[in-house]
Amino acid sequence: NAGVTQTPKFRILKIGQSMTLQCTQDMNHNYMYWYRQDPGMGLKLIYYSVGAGITDKGEVPNGYNVSRSTTEDFPLRLELAAPSQTSVYFCASATPLAGSTDTQYFGPGTRLTVL
Amino acid sequence: AQSVAQPEDQVNVAEGNPLTVKCTYSVSGNPYLFWYVQYPNRGLQFLLKYITGDNLVKGSYGFEAEFNKSQTSFHLKKPSALVSDSALYFCAVRDKSGSGYALNFGKGTSLLVTP
């Protein structure tokens, strides 16, 4: 049981390039999330998904897109990379149950630098 | 909106001494509160959570947290600190505004335990 895996671990992009950050979970979780972590700022929600085929914007969605074609995968797409997207990106998954709160499990992160 | 605040950027403590990392919350209704730890170049690891019930919550690695409704606080504690506890600690509250139960994080507190 690998939990939440993310690839790549590191990436350097040039301004205007695009890329996809991969996220896969093997816990059969319905809910998945993308956060970005900037120094001294905590984590901010980019996009989330409550199940295959259903996605929605979080607090900071501009410049990003997501898709959720399967329960396991939740890729994050950056189009036209900008220096402001330099950050560490974390994927997380959870299965909130009716009437309870489950725990979010995080991947190891992708460190992205846009130059 | 549900939010948490971590008033200290850094906490320094000597090994063997008790440690406290502070967190206060601002929520409507009953809060769902979490503590996560992040070791260097790693993802976030779940420590403990408060949903309801006993105000003293015990978690992983000997950590515990005390929920105080009158002071709107959820401080993380450990009776005897270890050098290996040095890491970045995040307090978080579950959002209730329809973001798929995403977490709203504090900005983090860096804990340094010296030998």
Side-chain angles (χ1 to χ4, degrees):
Chain A
N1 194 338
V4 180
T5 58
Q6 292 182 239
T7 58
K9 286 185 170 54
F10 305 94
R11 184 73 184 268
I12 298 175
L13 283 182
K14 294 182 179 178
I15 294 172
Q17 287 185 320
S18 61
M19 76 165 293
T20 299
L21 283 66
Q22 301 292 344
C23 175
T24 300
Q25 54 92 8
D26 62 0
M27 297 175 282
N28 203 31
H29 285 168
N30 288 327
Y31 287 64
M32 296 188 74
Y33 311 85
W34 275 106
Y35 296 89
R36 58 177 287 173
Q37 181 184 25
D38 299 311
M41 299 293 290
L43 281 73
K44 300 291 185 184
L45 181 68
I46 306 171
Y47 269 95
Y48 67 97
S49 169
V50 301
I54 307 171
T55 63
D56 208 345
K57 297 177 181 179
E59 184 180 355
V60 290
N62 291 343
Y64 307 94
N65 276 300
V66 294
S67 60
R68 184 95 183 271
S69 57
T70 66
T71 299
E72 294 78 18
D73 300 307
F74 190 40
L76 178 71
R77 179 80 176 167
L78 278 72
E79 306 281 3
L80 298 175
S84 61
Q85 293 177 305
T86 293
S87 189
V88 182
Y89 292 85
F90 289 103
C91 180
S93 72
T95 308
L97 303 173
S100 71
T101 299
D102 208 349
T103 301
Q104 288 190 24
Y105 295 92
F106 284 78
T110 294
R111 185 175 297 272
L112 176 66
T113 301
V114 182
L115 300 174
Chain B
Q2 319 288 93
S3 66
V4 292
Q6 295 179 244
E8 303 156 317
D9 290 335
Q10 182 161 322
V11 170
N12 298 316
V13 64
E15 187 174 31
N17 284 356
L19 70 87
T20 298
V21 183
K22 296 180 180 177
C23 174
T24 59
Y25 64 88
S26 175
V27 305
S28 57
N30 295 320
Y32 296 162
L33 296 161
F34 300 79
W35 275 102
Y36 282 83
V37 59
Q38 183 181 30
Y39 297 101
N41 300 313
R42 302 284 295 277
L44 278 72
Q45 297 180 29
F46 170 75
L47 281 178
L48 51 81
K49 64 184 177 185
Y50 173 81
I51 306 303
T52 186
D54 195 348
N55 289 342
L56 185 64
V57 180
K58 294 189 182 297
S60 306
Y61 313 122
F63 284 93
E64 58 189 27
E66 185 173 9
F67 174 73
N68 188 316
K69 190 171 183 177
S70 63
Q71 297 186 3
T72 62
S73 66
F74 188 56
H75 300 333
L76 182 70
K77 300 181 179 183
K78 188 174 183 181
S80 179
L82 300 172
V83 172
S84 57
D85 292 330
S86 298
L88 188 58
Y89 290 81
F90 289 98
C91 181
V93 62
R94 194 178 84 163
D95 193 80
K96 297 182 181 179
S97 62
S99 64
Y101 306 111
L103 295 175
N104 293 331
F105 286 86
K107 61 180 173 60
T109 298
S110 179
L111 173 66
L112 179 63
V113 182
T114 53

